[in-house]
Structure formats: structure tokens, C-alpha cells
């Protein structure tokens, strides 16, 4: 298939495909007529990349998954390097969750403090001045 069809089927732009090609994530094959040529395996690579990016993975983090698929494995996450990226991402997510929980606790404490300062008092009226 040509670049436009692949882009449409993968839900990306042709510019994105050219970028992936320049980064070595997508093969740069040319047909006899000089047009870029792609197949179903290329679509699988793109769908793997898009899924991982939807999960918050950086583009470079997708490389082990792409290489795993290119090596002929049935899934991009069936190689040790892919599993290592998963582990790293989980550690990163756990850290972010802990940070968010800390911020939530701080905001909750500020809310409780602010509410405690107004026992039985009127609801605060805040007006935006202009």
C-alpha cells in the first residue's frame, strides 16, 4: 500500500509516517515507481506505536516493541527489552501517582483548614474585580 492508505488505516498523517521513517521505526522501502511501499506488517508496527503512545510512552520507548515485531515475534511485548520498558513505565507511573496523592492530601488539608475558619459564618462571597 502507499503512504496515504497506510496513514489513513493507522489514523496518522503522512508527515507522521515520514517522521517515524526518519527515526528508523518504520522501514523505508520504495516500489519500482519510487513511491513508498508498505504492507500489513508495517500497519501492525504503527498500531503498536500508537497504542503505546496512547498509554503515555515516548516515541523512543516504542523502539523495543517495534524491533520485537520486526524480529518475527507475534507480539511487540514478547521480548526482554519490551518487558524492561514496561517495568520502567510502571515505576514512572507509580511515582506520578504518589506525587498526585501527596498534592491531593495537601489540597484536602487546605480545604479543611479554610472550612474550619468559617464555622457558622456566612458563605464567603468572592467577586472578581475588573
Amino acid at each position: 500500500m502507499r503512504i496515504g492508505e497506510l496513514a489513513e488505516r493507522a489514523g496518522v498523517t503522512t508527515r507522521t509516517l515520514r517522521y517515524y521513517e526518519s527515526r528508523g521505526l518504520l522501514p523505508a522501502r520504495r516500489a519500482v515507481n519510487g513511491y513508498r511501499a508498505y504492507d500489513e506488517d508495517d500497519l501492525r508496527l504503527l498500531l503498536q506505536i500508537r497504542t503505546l503512545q496512547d498509554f503515555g510512552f515516548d516515541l523512543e520507548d516504542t523502539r523495543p516493541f517495534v524491533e520485537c515485531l520486526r524480529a518475527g515475534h507475534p507480539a511487540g511485548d514478547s521480548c526482554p527489552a519490551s518487558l524492561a520498558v514496561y517495568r520502567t513505565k510502571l515505576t514512572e507511573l507509580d511515582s506520578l501517582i504518589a506525587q498526585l496523592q501527596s498534592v491531593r492530601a495537601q489540597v484536602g488539608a487546605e480545604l479543611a483548614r479554610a472550612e474550619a475558619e468559617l464555622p457558622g459564618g456566612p458563605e464567603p462571597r468572592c467577586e472578581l474585580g475588573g
Side-chain angles (χ1 to χ4, degrees), residues 6-114:
L6 180 63
E8 183 177 327
R9 289 182 64 190
V12 298
T13 65
T14 56
R15 183 177 180 181
T16 297
L17 296 181
R18 288 185 196 99
Y19 179 69
Y20 290 173
E21 184 181 299
S22 74
R23 299 292 305 262
L25 292 169
L26 192 62
R29 292 186 304 269
R30 299 279 180 167
V32 176
N33 60 8
Y35 291 118
R36 289 174 171 85
Y38 302 99
D39 59 23
E40 294 298 319
D41 288 338
D42 299 321
L43 180 59
R44 276 185 53 213
L45 293 177
L46 285 171
L47 294 176
Q48 177 78 77
I49 292 168
R50 291 208 19 114
T51 297
L52 291 168
Q53 287 193 303
D54 287 346
F55 291 160
F57 287 77
D58 293 331
L59 184 59
E60 194 56 35
D61 290 337
T62 68
R63 188 172 301 279
F65 297 86
V66 169
E67 290 171 356
C68 192
L69 286 171
R70 281 188 184 157
H73 294 275
D77 58 5
S78 59
C79 295
S82 303
L83 298 176
V85 172
Y86 274 154
R87 286 185 195 98
T88 300
K89 180 53 93 175
L90 281 176
T91 299
E92 177 186 315
L93 290 170
D94 288 341
S95 176
L96 290 171
I97 290 168
Q99 289 174 16
L100 288 172
Q101 287 173 329
S102 175
V103 169
R104 187 190 188 291
Q106 291 172 12
V107 170
E110 289 298 315
L111 174 62
R113 181 200 50 77

